[in-house]
Amino acid sequence: PAGGVLLGRPFPEQTCLMLEWLTLQNPGQEFGEQRTPLPGQLHPGLNVGKKAMEMFVHLAKVTGKDALLAFPAYFHNALLFSRYFTFVNPVKQAEIMAIRRQFHELPWKQLAWIVHLNCLVRPEGGPYEWKAEKQIYPLNRFLKDLFDSRDYKDAVKAALPGFHFSVDWEAFHRKYAEAGHAGG
């Protein structure tokens, strides 16, 4: 990211390898009853996410980058990327953590469709709409320390209580069926 201020701390400009779009799908396979798509998926995944991540980390290191940046187009991408990445914005980090914690009993694929179909409802009654923001995988000590800092963690913790959601199950089941899926 460009230099600036985060959490009240100035930081110098960082060089990053940015992952804007990554499709890890097998066009030679089709979905079936046992294997259903995630939002935006046309074909089943390749199950090579960990290997791809290792490759991108290696590429970033050999080219002298300070971090990897991802811009998750879908909510489920943010969930998957969160194994490795942290949102630059601590409020966005808290938002995703709050959703996952509140609906921990739901399969993440179902939660992905609930969000995608705008069936996750905010306390004031409006639908939650996924808005992508940058996620970072720090490679240098400065960025690792910044995103592992007490200030960042406190900012996430302070934002967590502000997120409460419900699911409009009637709308979800209707929209999910309209999208050509059974059950849900």
Side-chain angles (χ1 to χ4, degrees):
V5 176
L6 181 64
L7 303 171
R9 297 182 188 185
F11 66 93
E13 186 170 309
Q14 306 291 308
T15 60
C16 301
L17 177 62
M18 184 154 179
L19 308 175
E20 288 190 44
W21 187 256
L22 180 63
T23 301
L24 299 173
Q25 298 179 29
N26 184 345
Q29 288 189 343
E30 298 297 324
F31 291 105
E33 284 185 35
Q34 299 299 317
R35 197 166 185 192
T36 58
L38 285 159
Q41 261 189 319
L42 300 176
H43 302 281
L46 293 168
N47 295 319
V48 296
K50 184 177 180 189
K51 291 284 184 200
M53 184 64 185
E54 290 170 2
M55 180 185 69
F56 287 121
V57 167
H58 177 73
L59 180 61
K61 286 179 177 178
V62 299
T63 59
K65 303 297 185 243
D66 298 306
L68 295 174
L69 277 183
F71 198 74
Y74 292 94
F75 172 78
H76 66 271
N77 295 134
L79 290 179
L80 290 170
F81 293 171
S82 68
R83 295 176 188 161
Y84 308 100
F85 291 78
T86 302
F87 279 97
V88 172
N89 177 353
V91 175
K92 189 67 168 183
Q93 182 73 20
E95 175 185 293
I96 299 308
M97 287 174 65
I99 293 170
R100 194 63 193 130
R101 285 180 183 177
Q102 188 174 347
F103 300 102
H104 64 90
E105 77 285 353
L106 294 179
W108 70 274
K109 189 180 278 191
Q110 184 180 38
L111 184 56
W113 278 106
I114 288 167
V115 170
H116 183 72
L117 296 171
N118 294 322
C119 296
L120 192 65
V121 181
R122 294 181 174 282
E124 59 275 7
Y128 169 81
E129 293 183 41
W130 170 248
K131 294 197 183 344
E133 289 191 27
K134 291 177 193 155
Q135 285 180 298
I136 190 166
Y137 181 89
L139 295 171
N140 69 27
R141 178 55 42 206
F142 176 81
L143 289 174
K144 286 178 182 179
D145 289 347
L146 177 65
F147 289 99
D148 194 37
S149 71
R150 177 61 39 213
D151 289 342
Y152 184 84
K153 290 177 182 179
D154 286 348
V156 171
K157 187 177 179 181
L160 274 170
F163 295 106
H164 299 282
F165 302 94
S166 62
V167 175
D168 182 339
W169 287 108
E170 183 180 325
F172 170 69
H173 290 299
R174 179 179 41 79
K175 290 179 178 183
Y176 194 70
E178 287 170 0
H181 305 287

